[in-house]
């Protein structure tokens, strides 16, 4: 057993990240300002989109997007149940109806084929979710959406640094929302980014992000706001701080290096896990992607292993190894079990996976020995259960 605890995830914060945040803290200007604008431009340049808006979280970004797209009562939004609850929460809070599409059993992502039966005259939006660092088949999904005249917004919370057919997610013309939560491939502490080629949409989001002001004319010298800063519509308070943005800039410069480290660890996992009967990694999509390896997810087949997912996670914790669940399906959450507003087709693949999936530790500061410890521990737990 390990002497020290191996967490499921841990942010990669090094000296240059700390220094850039300290510089902002010492500058006397820490709220939204030049660093936030610099981060937005740097991220847009990386993704290859026309513009980006930084916000306090991906959840805030989804809220702003649904508002800016005027999604509301009577509208239906198609999205997977195999996702974090925040997207579905925002749909419901807007008064719209979430419609759950099933996922591919081995990639855990929706497809054009699983989305199509969910569409009808009330469908106002499709929100596919990139999963664990892999990309959905955007071309097929957007092709279907274009045929039906329905917009697409991609939930790219797992896809910072993911490429689809040679293009970064966020740069293929589809509006996308990214997360910079501490477990993501880069972090701003908490934060998110909305990327789009639709400048009119971005302008409205930028206004809604900060109280609905038409012009954010804040004078640093007087610490006051100029007379022309008027509210055009009621908005929110979702603006990113400059010290968060500074951390994001520093992290973004290291993103490809961090993904390379994650990839090496994931490949080592793949070689070791392949030898354990009943532990099933996610499949790679059969189209061209660069996987960002945000998560390393396996499914635990209790019939083959003699142990269920929850017992395995407890046993790993006793061996000083953390793990996670991504995700308990939204339609299985208490509120949504009872909510009459939720609809969708049968979800057999979602149902099968939500009881079996487990995220193993994966972060850049892990060593090959750490990965081997996890693999060995999983094997030992399963061998003990099968006796």
């Amino acid at each position: 057993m390990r002497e020290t605890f191996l967490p499921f995830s841990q942010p990669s914060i090094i000296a240059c990240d700390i220094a850039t945040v300290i510089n902002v803290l010492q500058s006397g200007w820490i709220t939204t300002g030049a660093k936030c604008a610099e981060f937005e431009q740097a991220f847009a340049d990386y993704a290859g989109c026309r513009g980006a808006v930084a916000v306090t979280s991906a959840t805030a970004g989804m809220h702003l997007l649904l508002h800016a797209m005027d999604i509301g009562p009577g509208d239906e939004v198609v999205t997977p149940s195999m996702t974090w609850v925040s997207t579905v929460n925002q749909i419901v809070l807007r008064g719209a109806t979430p419609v759950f599409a099933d996922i591919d059993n081995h990639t855990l992502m929706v497809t054009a084929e699983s989305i199509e039966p969910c569409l009808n005259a009330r469908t106002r939006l499709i929100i596919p979710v990139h999963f664990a660092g892999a990309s959905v088949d955007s071309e097929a999904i957007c092709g279907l959406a274009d045929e039906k005249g329905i917009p697409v917004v991609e939930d790219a919370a797992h896809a910072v640094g993911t490429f689809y057919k040679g293009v970064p997610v966020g740069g293929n013309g589809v509006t996308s929302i990214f997360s910079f939560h501490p477990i993501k491939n880069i972090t701003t502490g908490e934060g998110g980014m909305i990327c789009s080629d639709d400048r009119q949409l971005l302008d409205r989001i930028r206004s809604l992000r900060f109280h609905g002001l038409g012009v954010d004319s804040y004078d640093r010298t007087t610490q006051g706001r100029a007379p022309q800063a008027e509210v055009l519509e009621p908005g929110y308070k979702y603006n990113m701080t400059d010290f968060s943005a500074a951390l994001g800039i520093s992290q973004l410069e290291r993103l490809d290096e961090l993904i390379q480290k994650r990839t090496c660890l994931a490949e080592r996992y793949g070689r070791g896990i392949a030898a354990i009967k009943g532990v099933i990694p996610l499949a790679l999509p059969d189209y061209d992607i660069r996987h960002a390896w945000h998560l390393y997810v396996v499914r635990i087949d209790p019939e083959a292993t003699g142990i269920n997912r929850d017992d395995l996670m407890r046993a790993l914790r006793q061996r000083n190894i953390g793990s996670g669940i991504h995700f308990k399906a939204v339609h299985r959450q208490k509120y949504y079990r009872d909510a009459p507003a939720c609809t969708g087709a049968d979800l057999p693949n979602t149902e099968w996976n939500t009881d079996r999936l487990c995220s193993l530790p994966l972060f850049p500061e892990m060593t090959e020995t750490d990965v081997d410890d996890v693999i060995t521990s999983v094997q030992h737990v399963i061998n003990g259960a099968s006796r």
Side-chain angles (χ1 to χ4, degrees), residues 67 208 211-212 231-236:
H67 185 139
L208 288 168
H211 305 296
V231 172
L232 302 183
E233 62 176 314
Y236 307 97

Side-chain angles (χ1 to χ4, degrees), residues 73-119:
D75 297 333
E76 293 187 357
V77 179
V78 176
T79 198
S81 179
M82 179 55 67
T83 186
W84 182 231
V85 296
S86 61
T87 293
V88 181
N89 284 348
Q90 295 309 311
I91 294 167
V92 171
L93 288 168
R94 287 292 302 167
T97 300
V99 178
F100 296 125
D102 204 9
I103 53 172
D104 178 272
N105 199 43
H106 302 297
T107 67
L108 306 195
M109 294 185 289
V110 294
T111 64
E113 292 74 19
S114 69
I115 289 170
E116 187 166 16
C118 300
L119 305 179

Side-chain angles (χ1 to χ4, degrees), residues 35-37 39 54 188 240-250:
K35 283 296 178 183
C36 188
F39 184 36
T188 57
M240 180 179 282
T241 63
D242 259 20
F243 56 86
S244 290
L247 177 57
I249 294 165
S250 182

Side-chain angles (χ1 to χ4, degrees), residues 104-109 131-135 280-287 289 291 293 295-299 353:
D104 178 272
N105 199 43
H106 302 297
T107 67
L108 306 195
M109 294 185 289
F131 199 88
S135 169
I280 310 164
L282 299 187
L284 296 176
D286 60 4
Y287 42 86
I289 68 164
H291 205 302
W293 291 111
L295 300 170
Y296 193 85
V297 178
V298 297
R299 283 75 55 77
N353 278 282

Side-chain angles (χ1 to χ4, degrees), residues 212-229:
L213 291 174
V215 179
D216 184 18
S217 302
Y218 196 83
D219 188 333
R220 298 187 184 207
T221 58
T222 65
Q223 300 291 299
R225 203 165 300 281
Q228 66 266 34

Side-chain angles (χ1 to χ4, degrees), residues 177-219:
I177 304 174
F178 295 86
S179 171
F180 307 127
H181 182 273
I183 75 166
K184 299 303 193 297
N185 285 18
I186 63 172
T187 187
T188 57
E190 290 278 3
M193 190 76 75
I194 303 161
C195 288
S196 183
D197 287 347
D198 186 337
R199 294 193 185 279
Q200 185 174 356
L201 177 66
L202 289 174
D203 285 344
R204 189 172 184 206
I205 288 169
R206 192 170 283 109
S207 174
L208 288 168
R209 170 183 71 171
F210 196 73
H211 305 296
L213 291 174
V215 179
D216 184 18
S217 302
Y218 196 83
D219 188 333

Side-chain angles (χ1 to χ4, degrees), residues 62 77-80 82-83 87 101 109-112 115 125-131 135-138 141-142 145 151-157 174-177:
M62 186 62 69
V77 179
V78 176
T79 198
M82 179 55 67
T83 186
T87 293
M109 294 185 289
V110 294
T111 64
I115 289 170
L125 182 63
I126 299 169
I127 306 177
V129 178
H130 303 293
F131 199 88
S135 169
V136 299
D137 191 352
S138 296
I141 291 172
C142 290
V152 173
V153 167
E154 293 184 348
D155 181 335
V174 183
T175 298
S176 305
I177 304 174

